[in-house]
Amino acid sequence: MNAFDLSNAEPFEPEGPTPLVRETPPADRYPVEALAPLTDAALALHDVTQAPVAICAQSVLGVAALAAQPLGDAETLHDRAPTSLYLLTLAASGERKSTCDRLAMKAVRTFEAELREERCERLLDYRNKHDLWKRQREAALKKAENDPVTAQADLAALGSEPEPPLLEKIAMSEPTLEGITKNMGELRPSLGLLSDEGGLFIGGYGMSSENRLKTAAGLSKLWDGAPVDRVRAGDGVSVYPGRRLSAHLMVQPIAADALLSDRIAREQGLLARFLLTRPDATAGTRTRLDHSQRSEIVLSHFETRIAEMLRQPLPVREGTRNELEPPLVPLSTEARAVLEEFYIKTEIAQAEGGLLESVRPFASKAAEQAARIASVLALFAGDKHTSGETMANATTLATFYLGEAIRLADTALISPEIADAERMRNWMLRSWNEPFINASLAAGSGPWKETKRCRKALKTLEEYGWLVAVEGGTIIKERKRKEAWRIVRSVS
């Protein structure tokens, strides 16, 4: 007999609750062999961590894109594009995202430490030069009272104000667009948004409701390679061309809902710039206790190659210190033919009733994504151009990501109301041990603190049969509550 007091509750609906979101179909196999020069590193990372191959592949591809993006631009069918990639990996807690990130990012962290040491060494010299410049300028300005012609000549000879050494940070985990643009004059021109806890960025200040459109537009411009501008009343107008940003966010599915279901991210186009994947969980199957020593050697070689790429002199425009002017990584005749065929196939499939109709925003960028991936693979391999074989591998990867976009389309297209209700349902079933719930209690312990938002989510759950309203209320946590719902914890 049920120990709970059900005297005030209405009976359950016999058919049970209706799922809010259709269950995601099983993931396809990640075509790791198409990573070509990165294949061994991805498989070695998988061997060491036993994380899903897709997580390992995304990790090495994201780091390779960060290292490659300042060294060359990808040739596309009609123009050129940055070699930057935006990657989004959805994986539950316990899938060893952090371990993959730590191992793949070793060279990046080492390089940042080198830059930090170099900057510290250069700071004293900069301060001395700046103090001297300031004194000389003050002296020249003082002279202008009696001899403006000589003062003008002295100021011209003095030259521009010395600039501090560039900041050492190249990989950020939780930035705001405002923070990036404000410091862009002192940042290196090639940056990475890389995090194994991408939910901190998605749920952070930069992606809050009041900043989301601005952040989405700014990130889209950086993906496009467009100049970044900053216009502020106190700071004036600053324009920063020649900047590159790659991103790899690893996010728990429940945290990713906020981005995947966000209307602004979809309609503005930011979401379509991401290469998505959600591998099936491997937790519970990782019984092996050792790994091949060869895997450690392979990862060491990957670290060495990334370090070599990061240490290469940046191709900056003459007269600047942090405005990239990357050379073109041209397409071979064979590569262009492969890319043209891929473009035609994806374009036709976007027609009404076509396979890619539901993911047109992703599909419309698929050919460019393939060109970008191919350029990353070519630069990592040390090639000066993109071969037909490299482009064939890149189109295989782009096809996989299109398949993932289709597979995850239901998640990406659910309304914010359903997304909120699903998040509330997951919290309620996993973390709330009482048989009843109401809006104020949900606001006190649940995913949001706003009672109004919680009540709206609870009413949606009632519509779908996950909650049953209790007429007249009931006792919850030893207090009589006028508003109450009984929780349906099983579909059967």
Side-chain angles (χ1 to χ4, degrees):
M1 182 176 178
N2 197 323
F4 301 137
D5 179 11
L6 305 180
S7 57
N8 293 321
E10 296 177 0
F12 295 121
E13 294 293 332
E15 65 271 18
T18 302
L20 282 83
V21 180
R22 193 174 72 183
E23 186 176 351
T24 305
D28 289 334
R29 172 186 171 276
Y30 190 96
V32 66
E33 64 283 347
L35 287 173
L38 295 171
T39 297
D40 285 350
L43 291 176
L45 192 57
H46 170 65
D47 180 45
V48 171
T49 66
Q50 298 185 67
V53 171
I55 295 180
C56 302
Q58 295 274 86
S59 296
V60 299
L61 185 58
V63 171
L66 171 61
Q69 65 184 2
L71 305 182
D73 280 350
E75 183 179 9
T76 63
L77 290 178
H78 305 293
D79 200 355
R80 63 192 294 159
T83 301
S84 310
L85 298 176
Y86 285 6
L87 307 170
L88 181 63
T89 304
L90 282 62
S93 179
E95 291 302 308
R96 301 183 177 172
K97 302 185 296 292
S98 298
T99 305
C100 289
D101 177 74
R102 175 175 55 81
L103 294 175
M105 288 282 287
K106 270 189 175 182
V108 176
R109 301 306 181 197
T110 300
F111 183 62
E112 284 187 327
E114 294 171 0
L115 292 175
R116 190 178 306 114
E117 183 177 347
E118 179 184 343
R119 186 173 189 273
C120 288
E121 293 173 355
R122 295 179 58 193
L123 269 176
L124 179 59
D125 181 58
Y126 155 72
R127 286 169 180 156
N128 290 337
K129 288 180 178 178
H130 189 270
D131 289 345
L132 180 60
W133 179 89
K134 188 176 179 181
R135 291 283 184 89
Q136 291 174 331
R137 178 175 172 80
E138 290 171 351
L141 290 172
K142 188 174 182 180
K143 188 186 296 184
E145 298 176 6
N146 300 317
D147 189 356
V149 176
T150 302
Q152 184 78 12
D154 289 346
L155 288 171
L158 184 57
S160 301
E161 182 178 2
E163 294 180 303
L166 295 175
L167 298 170
E168 71 277 3
K169 198 68 178 169
I170 64 171
M172 306 164 291
S173 59
E174 195 187 347
T176 63
L177 185 69
E178 181 73 14
I180 294 174
T181 55
K182 183 177 181 180
N183 294 289
M184 196 156 272
E186 295 183 33
L187 285 166
R188 288 173 65 87
S190 176
L191 301 171
L193 172 54
L194 303 155
S195 176
D196 61 322
E197 291 292 347
L200 295 176
F201 172 75
I202 293 173
Y205 177 80
M207 291 298 285
S208 62
S209 57
E210 61 269 25
N211 294 311
R212 194 173 303 146
L213 180 58
K214 179 175 63 177
T215 298
L219 291 177
S220 294
K221 286 181 69 174
L222 282 166
W223 186 87
D224 295 339
V228 178
D229 55 66
R230 174 179 166 83
V231 181
R232 293 293 183 274
D235 301 337
V237 178
S238 300
V239 181
Y240 303 104
R243 266 55 179 189
R244 297 292 183 265
L245 177 74
S246 279
H248 180 207
L249 299 176
M250 291 191 272
V251 187
Q252 293 190 33
I254 191 170
D257 287 349
L259 179 63
L260 294 176
S261 63
D262 184 73
R263 180 179 58 83
I264 291 175
R266 290 200 314 271
E267 295 181 1
Q268 189 280 329
L270 174 62
L271 190 60
R273 287 169 167 81
F274 277 91
L275 300 173
L276 313 175
T277 185
R278 181 178 179 176
D280 294 335
T282 58
T285 67
R286 302 165 303 197
T287 57
R288 180 167 45 82
L289 301 178
D290 58 359
H291 60 265
S292 169
Q293 292 302 308
R294 180 181 179 278
S295 294
E296 295 186 8
I297 296 172
V298 170
L299 289 177
S300 178
H301 289 165
F302 173 76
E303 180 182 352
T304 299
R305 177 56 185 150
I306 293 296
E308 290 173 351
M309 296 171 73
L310 291 172
R311 293 183 183 123
Q312 287 190 41
L314 295 177
V316 296
R317 188 172 66 83
E318 187 176 353
T320 72
R321 64 176 187 154
N322 60 350
E323 183 181 324
L324 286 171
E325 199 171 54
L328 188 68
V329 181
L331 298 172
S332 68
T333 303
E334 294 81 5
R336 176 170 286 275
V338 173
L339 187 57
E340 286 177 349
E341 181 181 1
F342 179 70
Y343 166 77
I344 291 170
K345 286 182 178 179
T346 55
E347 178 63 26
I348 292 173
Q350 294 175 56
E352 186 175 351
L355 180 63
L356 300 178
E357 179 190 6
S358 64
V359 291
R360 278 179 184 163
F362 293 90
S364 65
K365 292 177 172 58
E368 181 176 331
Q369 295 278 26
R372 288 171 180 246
I373 294 170
S375 187
V376 172
L377 300 181
L379 287 166
F380 182 85
D383 297 336
K384 301 296 184 183
H385 70 280
T386 298
S387 68
E389 181 181 0
T390 297
M391 184 56 72
N393 284 325
T395 57
T396 296
L397 291 167
T399 300
F400 167 80
Y401 289 117
L402 280 175
E404 286 290 84
I406 295 171
R407 186 173 72 94
L408 301 174
D410 282 349
T411 303
L413 296 175
I414 62 174
S415 68
E417 292 77 16
I418 294 298
D420 272 6
E422 179 67 4
R423 188 173 175 188
M424 176 65 76
R425 187 185 73 87
N426 283 323
W427 166 79
M428 194 173 62
L429 296 181
R430 294 172 184 173
S431 304
W432 184 255
N433 296 322
E434 299 288 329
F436 302 96
I437 187 74
N438 74 358
S440 61
L441 290 170
S445 305
W448 319 285
K449 299 304 180 185
E450 305 95 329
T451 302
K452 183 177 180 181
R453 185 178 180 184
C454 289
R455 181 174 289 109
K456 188 174 181 179
L458 293 173
K459 287 186 175 180
T460 300
L461 290 174
E462 180 185 355
E463 292 175 15
Y464 280 76
W466 290 99
L467 295 174
V468 177
V470 181
E471 187 177 349
T474 191
I475 295 174
I476 313 176
K477 284 187 173 290
E478 301 180 349
R479 280 185 55 192
K480 175 72 175 181
R481 316 281 178 168
K482 292 183 179 180
E483 174 190 63
W485 285 271
R486 183 196 301 138
I487 299 169
V488 179
R489 295 189 178 274
S490 174
V491 177
S492 59

